Amino acid sequence: MKKAFFLFIFLLFPAISFAFSTEFLGLEIHGFIDARYGQRVREDRNEKDQILGEIRFQTDITGQLRDIIFQVKADFLYDGVCDDRKLDLEGTRSPIDLREANISLSPFYFIDIKIGRQILTWGTGDLIFLNDLFPKDWKSFFIGREEQYLKSPSDAIFISLFPSFANIDIAYTPKFDPDRYVKGERISFWNPIYRRRTGRRNVLNAIEPNNWFKDDEIAVRIYRNIRGWEAAIYGYYGFWKDPLGFDINKRRPFFPRLLSYGASIRGTYLGGIVNSEFSRYVSKQDERGDDPFIPNSEIRFLIGYEREIAKDFTARFQYYLECMEDYSRYKETLPSGYVSKDEFRYLFTMRLTKLLMSQDLLLCLFTYYSPSDQDAYIRSLIKYKLTDEISVMIGSNIFVGKNDYTFFGQFEKNSNIYVALRFNY
Amino acid sequence: MKKGLCFLTIVFLFLSSSFAYPLTADEIVEKAEEAAYYAGKDGRADVKMIIISASGKKRIREFTILRMNTKGKDQKFYVYFKAPSDVRKMAYLVWKHVGKEDDRWLWLPALNLLKRIAPGDKRTSFVGSDFYYEDVSGRDIKDDKHILLKETDKWYVIKNVPKDPDSVEFSYYLVWIDKKTFLPMKAEYYDKQGRLYRRIIAKKVEIIQGYPTVVEAVAEDLIRGSKTINIFKNVKYNIGLKERIFSERFLRRPPREVR
């Protein structure tokens, strides 16, 4: 019965939006249907062989009442891999993934406000985030959903101010929005508690801060364009976005408090684009760095360069460094038997993008390679647009690593290939 | 005597202005650039692009373009996409600098992300069409040497030879400039083997607010056999655009001029 009800909803909304496609009562209605299937390429005794199998129907409705713009973007999802059909608007494990539901207005000429569920992002990194502490959906990213699903929505108020000297953005999230982090229900990972990889039989059960206005987050960016160079400074107060702390009494992971600040710059140089960003993460519950169950403070640094190396062919390179503060105290207090992290973790990324056949065919390769962790993550995508509406895709997510516990190495058994078909309307 | 000299001067001035010295090739090209890319202080147009491949497959792109002349010959462009639906609401921002790399950004609404685009080759296809980025924002006239090949009662025919041949795919191109309006009406591009491989034709011209304006243009790739038709609608000049529109704020929140 319950199943039938959800199926009914699943079919009803798309049918309505489809019937009134493009314009209805001054509303603009668009969206897509996307079907995709992904398979593990290595055996994983902790998970199913099928990593992805879903049909997604997105409806994007925008309207305008005088100067107020409103938008609702909802995905109706039939997920054949994680068949938990509980209605859960906070996660991806439900038939409805509400991506956006917000209104935006400009009450004065120097202020813009957007209230509600929205996708937020900033910073200069390419698939690396330093000062962008808005929620990310790593699960979707790893299993072969579209890259846009890496950004998961925030329930926030976003205020932009435009005084003459700079632009100021303030994002206030009244209740903490964590990353949609890897829990094990679909992706196996290194579980430090068991000291091995675990999967869907040992789903991570973290304590999430969930008190309105108490467990809140605030993020600020002040930016300015100086003769084509975009300079910005950032601040954030909230929590680590993944449950990196471990509560020994409750024997459950939790989200420790985090304060961060940083800066970035981006501009044109040597016929390409140069970007650089740094941030300092202050781990508020372990400022001395002597609690082994809470991450230490860190300095993070990024530098990147992108240029077009041939016609419709661009290459982008990045170097990224994480440096743990108070490393000696971390080493001293780490209980024996635990795998010690390095003081410096660094990695290189390379993105190659080639467009062919009047830009109908896209070839994309993105590689993360960390010499310090001795692991890598290779993402590839081939996308062909059959018509303006229909496209087909094939892609892969390959993880390799020397050890089972490094950032990318832990996901080795989740390496996958996927195919997808999409219809836009 | 004095009076007579004065009179002669006036007559001479009058004559020299009406029976002007023949224009040099550089002057013609400058006037053509002015007519084609700098009309008014600013302007807007709704553009429909029909891309037809050699096999007859049709693609449609629809966007609104805003342009503003800023300092000297610099300009700012705002392109707001309306169709097809996978690029809908994307916005493309260009700060064109003459004699220096342009600044370009792409706004991706699904990611709420402002992407900076590498300056790169301007002679690559604009959104998969047979028009190049450079056809949209204008090629720097200082990049070519201009030779007046022929002058008829209707046309100036100019041969344009690149100063840096390695930077472009053509060896030269010919432009037919209308003597009355100074609009370039036809351009033919020849490759390194001297073969005609690309042609752009202004199909329809209308006078809008006193400015002769190309309202339909076709670009053809003669080797591949594809072509793109550009149709301009709701063209308006001097609409009083503010420079602040060409910024991140208005990429996030498209101005009413494009919505």
Side-chain angles (χ1 to χ4, degrees):
Chain A
M1 184 60 211
K2 211 169 147 194
K3 241 181 187 171
F5 173 71
F6 281 120
L7 192 68
F8 176 69
I9 292 196
F10 184 75
L11 293 173
L12 182 72
F13 280 83
I16 291 173
S17 54
F18 200 68
F20 299 107
S21 174
T22 68
E23 257 185 51
F24 175 65
L25 296 173
L27 299 174
E28 277 185 62
I29 305 169
H30 288 270
F32 59 77
I33 305 168
D34 181 294
R36 46 187 72 213
Y37 178 86
Q39 182 83 22
R40 279 193 167 69
V41 294
R42 308 181 62 157
E43 198 191 343
D44 186 347
R45 59 192 174 86
N46 294 305
E47 305 285 356
K48 296 180 188 171
D49 285 345
Q50 187 187 348
I51 198 164
L52 177 67
E54 63 188 29
I55 301 171
R56 182 184 292 268
F57 194 110
Q58 182 173 90
T59 300
D60 179 1
I61 304 169
T62 34
Q64 191 170 0
L65 251 176
R66 297 195 182 171
D67 275 342
I68 301 170
I69 300 167
F70 55 91
Q71 181 178 20
V72 177
K73 193 192 272 185
D75 284 11
F76 301 87
L77 182 69
Y78 177 80
D79 185 336
V81 176
C82 286
D83 39 10
D84 173 2
R85 293 203 179 72
K86 210 165 49 185
L87 191 65
D88 154 30
L89 293 180
E90 309 253 310
T92 49
R93 294 174 61 180
S94 75
I96 301 172
D97 180 11
L98 188 61
R99 305 286 303 166
E100 297 197 45
N102 57 62
I103 59 166
S104 50
L105 59 160
S106 190
F108 304 102
Y109 74 93
F110 58 85
I111 184 166
D112 288 347
I113 301 174
K114 195 168 184 178
I115 305 163
R117 180 161 288 203
Q118 52 192 302
I119 306 286
L120 294 172
T121 187
W122 58 39
T124 64
D126 183 15
L127 301 182
I128 289 183
F129 309 98
L130 290 83
N131 292 295
D132 175 351
L133 284 153
F134 300 112
K136 304 286 174 290
D137 182 351
W138 295 105
K139 283 186 281 192
S140 292
F141 188 62
F142 292 155
I143 63 176
R145 289 192 180 125
E146 250 206 0
E147 203 168 288
Q148 71 178 75
Y149 288 95
L150 173 59
K151 310 284 166 92
S152 71
S154 302
D155 292 320
I157 171 162
F158 190 81
I159 302 170
S160 301
L161 301 165
F162 305 94
S164 58
F165 60 94
N167 297 346
I168 302 167
D169 288 336
I170 302 159
Y172 177 71
T173 309
K175 189 173 78 100
F176 175 57
D177 280 318
D179 280 355
R180 291 175 179 178
Y181 55 94
V182 172
K183 286 182 182 164
E185 81 282 22
R186 189 195 288 254
I187 300 171
S188 61
F189 67 104
W190 175 260
N191 193 325
I193 306 160
Y194 295 94
R195 291 174 207 178
R196 62 172 173 86
R197 286 197 186 97
T198 59
R200 63 199 176 103
R201 279 176 294 273
N202 307 83
V203 172
L204 207 62
N205 180 19
I207 308 163
E208 275 182 24
N210 58 4
N211 288 311
W212 283 83
F213 304 106
K214 211 174 128 237
D215 295 329
D216 52 1
E217 295 173 276
I218 187 154
V220 180
R221 173 175 69 148
I222 302 171
Y223 66 101
R224 197 183 157 158
N225 192 318
I226 307 160
R227 294 179 187 185
W229 286 87
E230 299 154 85
I233 54 172
Y234 309 83
Y236 169 81
Y237 186 68
F239 301 86
W240 288 85
K241 302 300 282 191
D242 297 297
L244 298 175
F246 187 72
D247 188 320
I248 314 167
N249 299 323
K250 291 183 184 147
R251 292 197 64 78
R252 282 173 71 186
F254 75 105
F255 296 82
R257 277 276 175 195
L258 177 69
L259 168 80
S260 99
Y261 54 85
S264 73
I265 190 147
R266 180 166 68 175
T268 317
Y269 189 64
L270 293 173
I273 295 162
V274 175
N275 68 292
S276 187
E277 187 165 342
F278 100 90
S279 66
R280 179 156 186 254
Y281 283 23
V282 183
S283 198
K284 293 302 282 181
Q285 284 166 267
D286 185 23
E287 283 196 71
R288 283 172 46 80
D290 54 6
D291 185 338
F293 298 106
I294 296 177
N296 279 18
S297 297
E298 279 179 17
I299 301 275
R300 297 185 173 197
F301 173 78
L302 174 78
I303 188 158
Y305 181 67
E306 177 178 1
R307 87 172 281 174
E308 197 177 68
I309 50 180
K311 203 167 211 162
D312 284 328
F313 186 35
T314 51
R316 183 168 182 175
F317 301 94
Q318 296 183 115
Y319 168 78
Y320 169 68
L321 173 72
E322 281 174 9
C323 167
M324 194 195 291
E325 293 180 26
D326 307 308
Y327 187 69
S328 54
R329 259 181 243 141
Y330 164 78
K331 285 288 268 188
E332 279 162 27
T333 51
L334 188 73
S336 60
Y338 275 78
V339 182
S340 154
K341 286 191 220 158
D342 292 335
E343 185 174 5
F344 299 98
R345 172 177 177 249
Y346 59 98
L347 54 87
F348 296 95
T349 75
M350 176 185 74
R351 182 196 281 272
L352 300 175
T353 312
K354 173 77 182 162
L355 291 166
L356 292 159
M357 305 169 76
S358 302
Q359 305 185 0
D360 282 344
L361 180 65
L362 166 83
L363 308 179
C364 185
L365 180 73
F366 190 100
T367 308
Y368 294 90
Y369 166 62
S370 171
S372 62
D373 277 359
Q374 292 182 284
D375 63 359
Y377 171 28
I378 304 144
R379 293 168 57 81
S380 66
L381 173 68
I382 300 170
K383 179 176 174 179
Y384 181 65
K385 286 176 82 171
L386 288 162
T387 69
D388 278 341
E389 292 79 30
I390 301 168
S391 48
V392 285
M393 280 154 266
I394 178 162
S396 66
N397 292 284
I398 307 297
F399 301 90
V400 286
K402 188 170 175 250
N403 302 302
D404 294 345
Y405 51 80
T406 57
F407 192 82
F408 297 119
Q410 64 179 321
F411 302 123
E412 208 167 41
K413 307 273 192 219
N414 299 291
S415 296
N416 61 77
I417 53 171
Y418 63 90
V419 288
L421 175 70
R422 173 180 286 230
F423 172 72
N424 290 295
Y425 68 91
Chain B
M1 180 63 198
K2 240 185 183 176
K3 239 182 192 170
L5 194 71
C6 192
F7 175 72
L8 268 178
T9 314
I10 289 168
V11 168
F12 179 73
L13 278 176
F14 179 72
L15 284 176
S16 66
S17 64
S18 56
F19 301 98
Y21 289 112
L23 291 167
T24 66
D26 283 355
E27 284 166 338
I28 296 163
V29 170
E30 239 169 82
K31 279 180 161 250
E33 185 192 41
E34 189 70 31
Y37 293 102
Y38 289 88
K41 286 193 213 85
D42 59 40
R44 57 110 47 221
D46 293 328
V47 186
K48 185 172 184 177
M49 235 179 200
I50 306 163
I51 307 164
I52 305 162
S53 74
S55 62
K57 194 161 89 171
K58 250 189 208 176
R59 297 293 169 85
I60 310 282
R61 306 271 176 276
E62 282 177 61
F63 53 88
T64 296
I65 185 162
L66 303 178
R67 167 186 55 84
M68 183 175 183
N69 302 340
T70 55
K71 272 192 205 107
K73 285 199 136 185
D74 286 3
Q75 289 179 314
K76 289 184 179 176
F77 293 87
Y78 187 119
V79 179
Y80 184 69
F81 288 92
K82 296 184 169 169
S85 76
D86 63 330
V87 298
R88 199 177 63 97
K89 288 188 183 174
M90 278 191 196
Y92 173 64
L93 180 67
V94 184
W95 292 3
K96 176 181 158 188
H97 307 293
V98 173
K100 197 181 117 191
E101 296 282 19
D102 297 346
D103 291 310
R104 305 192 291 172
W105 293 269
L106 189 66
W107 175 253
L108 303 169
L111 294 169
N112 195 37
L113 179 73
L114 182 66
K115 188 176 181 291
R116 186 113 185 195
I117 307 176
D121 190 351
K122 289 183 195 171
R123 299 199 62 76
T124 54
S125 161
F126 180 70
V127 296
S129 74
D130 295 293
F131 285 94
Y132 292 162
Y133 278 96
E134 213 167 58
D135 301 321
V136 179
S137 60
R139 177 171 170 82
D140 192 339
I141 56 174
K142 290 198 187 71
D143 289 347
D144 301 320
K145 276 182 299 198
H146 313 284
I147 303 143
L148 180 58
L149 272 194
K150 203 162 63 174
E151 186 180 343
T152 69
D153 49 345
K154 214 166 170 266
W155 310 107
Y156 294 111
V157 183
I158 305 274
K159 181 176 178 179
N160 307 274
V161 184
K163 289 179 184 165
D164 176 8
D166 294 334
S167 68
V168 289
E169 83 288 356
F170 57 81
S171 60
Y172 68 92
Y173 65 99
L174 304 178
V175 179
W176 280 254
I177 294 165
D178 188 305
K179 284 178 98 169
K180 259 196 226 122
T181 63
F182 280 94
L183 280 178
M185 298 300 287
K186 185 164 88 167
E188 289 186 340
Y189 293 80
Y190 291 83
D191 65 14
K192 310 279 179 192
Q193 288 83 44
R195 213 168 25 152
L196 173 65
Y197 70 97
R198 182 168 190 256
R199 184 161 50 208
I200 302 179
I201 300 171
K203 287 272 184 191
K204 222 186 263 177
V205 174
E206 280 174 20
I207 309 288
I208 296 167
Q209 294 168 263
Y211 301 103
T213 306
V214 176
V215 293
E216 189 176 327
V218 181
E220 287 168 281
D221 185 324
L222 303 170
I223 307 279
R224 283 196 319 188
S226 59
K227 68 173 181 181
T228 299
I229 305 164
N230 256 2
I231 298 163
F232 299 85
K233 285 208 172 116
N234 302 319
V235 181
K236 284 194 194 87
Y237 295 103
N238 300 322
I239 55 174
L241 288 178
K242 302 253 184 330
E243 198 170 342
R244 66 190 186 110
I245 277 177
F246 301 88
S247 69
E248 177 168 347
R249 176 184 189 183
F250 288 93
L251 287 170
R252 279 178 190 277
R253 190 185 163 82
R256 61 185 153 73
E257 285 86 350
V258 299
R259 273 192 265 128

